[in-house]
Amino acid sequence: MTEHFTVRNTIWDELKVGDEASVQRTATAQDFFLFAHVTGNINPANLPGNEEAPPLAPSMWIGSLISAVLGNRLPGPGTLYRVQNLTFHERVHLGDTLTAFVRCTEKREKPRAVFETRVTKGDGVLVASGIAEVEVPLKVIEADTRQLPELILDEHDHFGQLVTCAAHLPPMPTVVVSPDDRNSLGGAVLSAMKGLIVPILVGERAAIENAAVELGVDISGYRLVEVEGHHAAAATAVALVNAGEARAIMKGNIHSDELLGQIVKKDGGLRGARRISHTFVMDVPTLDHLLFISDAAINIAPDLMTKVDIVQNAIDLAIACGITQPRVGVLSAVETVNVNIPSTLDAAILSKMAERGQIIGGIVDGPLAMDNAIDMEAARTKGITSLVAGKAEILVVPNLEAGNMLAKELTFVARAEAAGLVLGAKVPVMLTSRADNDRARLASAALAQLYDYWQRTGSAYMPATSLTSAAK
């Protein structure tokens, strides 16, 4: 529990000329981003990420530190500004430690008072100086110093790194199945423009060309295989892969079941040695690594042996994305084995199978509840000793319902970004949703590129430290 303190103000009758107070603050990237959000000032000179020069602290952010001294320390709670003038002498850089100082120099007609104000760097260099006139509170106020509501800033761009990494590989020939609406065609064209894929458009020519006109793009440079109907488009896509003309499939404006039906058929399909499964890859603002969730789209109520393939498929994708030894948390409602909850039994068996080498490439543990799989403090509180607890990079869910809800809650409540891939077939399949934005489609194409490279070479294209905070 967070301990709370109270601070008491200095009222007019108590205030004396010569009274002084100060606060200290180190300039962080989060300060600069929050200032930009609050004020709407997006001057690139003040924002981290500017390639031309390191960011400088906004001058008015520096001035706001003086307001913090007056409002919190002297005179304290209840103080109201009348006048503040400031002269800025030096620039402040990211990481500089500042001291904001105020000293009462004059008491005017009640309740007004004048303060000398200044801000210095840690080395004593004067950054800003000025005079403040305030209304000093007349009544005693004790304020609780409780923490403000937590703000979440997405300081990591894992998807951007995925796309940048994959764009260094040669574009991958990819069949785009029925891209006959604005969203699906737009995702394919954007992925091609970024150098991720060479699209082969399969479907009804008139519908695809109409979508291109609506989108305002030129598709004359792309191969277009004309077939009638979504069923025929899915069958043609599979045939093109089997003929060696494409190394991936991207879902367009076609129902997932119709496309998957052609992929998993026994004769002429794309079945591999394992059961196919889907893995969501999430860029979650509160995590400093990618989060993989499986299976949330294909296997409704997987049995134990299907879960073995789900786990292995997810591990392979995580390795392809640069995680050397992924940590896999097998989820259930509780973190102890309970014969009345079958998913806890499956989790325990999967963990033991990984120990014995029947699942390879990752560290698997379960059962784990969601809290102690992701949060170290939750794992400590429950006394869980595990190489995975609190640090899981892959979450294996009990069934499709749990996985689908988890992925969508992270997307629409926690503002995570989601991409995904179907694994276990001969080639990666991008099972994009109509609700996916361009960034999600790009990330899915990048995943397909990296997974295809891993399938062909047996190694990740990029070191683990480039994309994630890999297992230490």
Side-chain angles (χ1 to χ4, degrees):
M1 180 180 292
T2 301
E3 191 172 1
H4 291 177
F5 299 93
T6 57
V7 292
R8 180 189 182 281
N9 61 359
T10 299
I11 62 174
W12 167 265
D13 293 335
E14 298 170 335
L15 181 66
K16 300 185 295 295
V17 172
D19 285 350
E20 57 186 44
S22 64
V23 298
Q24 197 170 73
R25 179 80 174 249
T26 299
T28 68
Q30 189 174 51
D31 291 327
F32 297 179
F33 282 125
L34 286 172
F35 186 85
H37 274 285
V38 170
T39 63
N41 179 1
I42 56 171
N43 182 354
N46 304 133
L47 292 176
N50 178 16
E51 295 180 356
E52 296 181 3
L56 298 172
S59 296
M60 295 312 295
W61 174 81
I62 297 170
S64 70
L65 301 182
I66 294 171
S67 174
V69 187
L70 293 169
N72 295 339
R73 299 290 180 85
L74 185 73
T79 301
L80 299 175
Y81 257 125
R82 299 290 297 189
V83 177
Q84 174 74 67
N85 63 56
L86 285 169
T87 300
F88 296 96
H89 306 280
E90 293 286 338
R91 299 301 176 193
V92 172
H93 297 84
L94 194 66
D96 284 348
T97 297
L98 305 178
T99 299
F101 170 88
V102 305
R103 184 174 67 88
C104 181
T105 57
E106 181 183 353
K107 292 181 70 174
R108 294 181 176 173
E109 182 178 351
K110 195 173 185 175
R112 296 190 180 187
V114 178
F115 289 80
E116 170 197 357
T117 64
R118 65 177 185 270
V119 179
T120 59
K121 290 186 182 181
D123 55 7
V125 173
L126 185 63
V127 171
S129 61
I131 299 296
E133 182 179 342
V134 302
E135 293 181 8
V136 181
L138 302 178
K139 296 181 180 179
V140 171
I141 299 174
E142 290 188 349
D144 191 348
T145 62
R146 63 186 182 277
Q147 291 182 338
L148 294 172
E150 184 177 1
L151 295 176
I152 297 174
L153 289 183
D154 189 355
E155 301 179 60
H156 310 282
D157 184 12
H158 298 302
F159 279 179
Q161 293 179 55
L162 282 176
V163 172
T164 299
C165 175
H168 286 87
L169 292 166
M172 182 168 58
T174 300
V175 184
V176 188
V177 187
S178 300
D180 51 27
D181 71 338
R182 181 186 184 95
N183 288 341
S184 58
L185 181 61
V189 171
L190 182 61
S191 297
M193 291 172 60
K194 294 292 185 179
L196 300 176
I197 69 171
V198 177
I200 303 170
L201 310 179
V202 177
E204 298 180 12
R205 177 179 292 274
I208 294 172
E209 290 177 343
N210 287 339
V213 171
E214 181 184 352
L215 197 61
V217 297
D218 180 12
I219 60 170
S220 61
Y222 303 143
R223 179 183 175 188
L224 196 159
V225 180
E226 184 173 7
V227 296
E228 294 295 323
H230 289 174
H231 179 83
T236 302
V238 170
L240 287 169
V241 171
N242 281 325
E245 297 182 46
R247 295 208 313 269
I249 292 176
M250 177 183 285
K251 173 180 171 289
N253 185 29
I254 180 176
H255 197 280
S256 297
D257 288 346
E258 201 162 12
L259 176 58
L260 291 173
Q262 293 298 313
I263 291 172
V264 302
K265 66 181 182 181
K266 292 183 178 180
D267 297 323
L270 298 176
R271 284 189 175 190
R274 298 189 204 132
R275 181 72 176 262
I276 71 167
S277 60
H278 181 273
T279 298
F280 274 115
V281 182
M282 315 289 294
D283 192 346
V284 185
T286 55
L287 298 178
D288 63 358
H289 58 81
L290 291 170
L291 183 66
F292 299 75
I293 298 174
S294 191
D295 181 349
I298 294 179
N299 295 287
I300 298 173
D303 59 19
L304 175 62
M305 296 315 296
T306 300
K307 287 181 180 179
V308 171
D309 287 344
I310 289 172
V311 172
Q312 191 64 68
N313 286 340
I315 289 173
D316 291 349
L317 179 59
I319 292 172
C321 288
I323 303 177
T324 305
Q325 191 176 38
R327 298 184 180 99
V328 183
V330 187
L331 297 185
S332 186
V334 294
E335 61 280 349
T336 55
V337 174
N338 185 328
V339 294
N340 295 314
I341 306 178
S343 61
T344 65
L345 300 175
D346 287 349
I349 296 170
L350 291 167
S351 179
K352 179 57 69 174
M353 291 177 74
E355 285 182 18
R356 295 188 172 187
Q358 292 174 269
I359 298 171
I360 61 173
I363 304 171
V364 182
D365 194 19
L368 293 171
M370 180 64 185
D371 57 347
N372 46 64
I374 285 294
D375 186 79
M376 284 294 297
E377 189 58 36
R380 289 193 197 99
T381 300
K382 294 189 175 181
I384 299 173
T385 302
S386 166
L387 294 174
V388 174
K391 299 174 286 187
E393 292 148 324
I394 298 173
L395 300 178
V396 175
V397 296
N399 52 49
L400 182 144
E401 292 171 307
N404 194 271
M405 285 187 280
L406 174 57
K408 289 182 178 177
E409 284 165 359
L410 287 172
T411 302
F412 294 100
V413 178
R415 314 311 300 172
E417 294 181 295
L421 213 58
V422 174
L423 309 165
K426 293 179 183 178
V427 297
V429 179
M430 291 160 260
L431 206 65
T432 52
S433 166
R434 285 173 295 177
D436 285 343
N437 59 23
D438 287 343
R439 186 168 165 83
R441 294 173 189 273
L442 272 179
S444 294
L447 289 171
Q449 269 273 39
L450 296 173
Y451 186 70
D452 171 73
Y453 181 88
W454 177 85
Q455 282 185 309
R456 290 185 290 108
T457 67
S459 61
Y461 177 65
M462 206 169 183
T465 52
S466 298
L467 295 178
T468 66
S469 59
K472 301 260 189 318

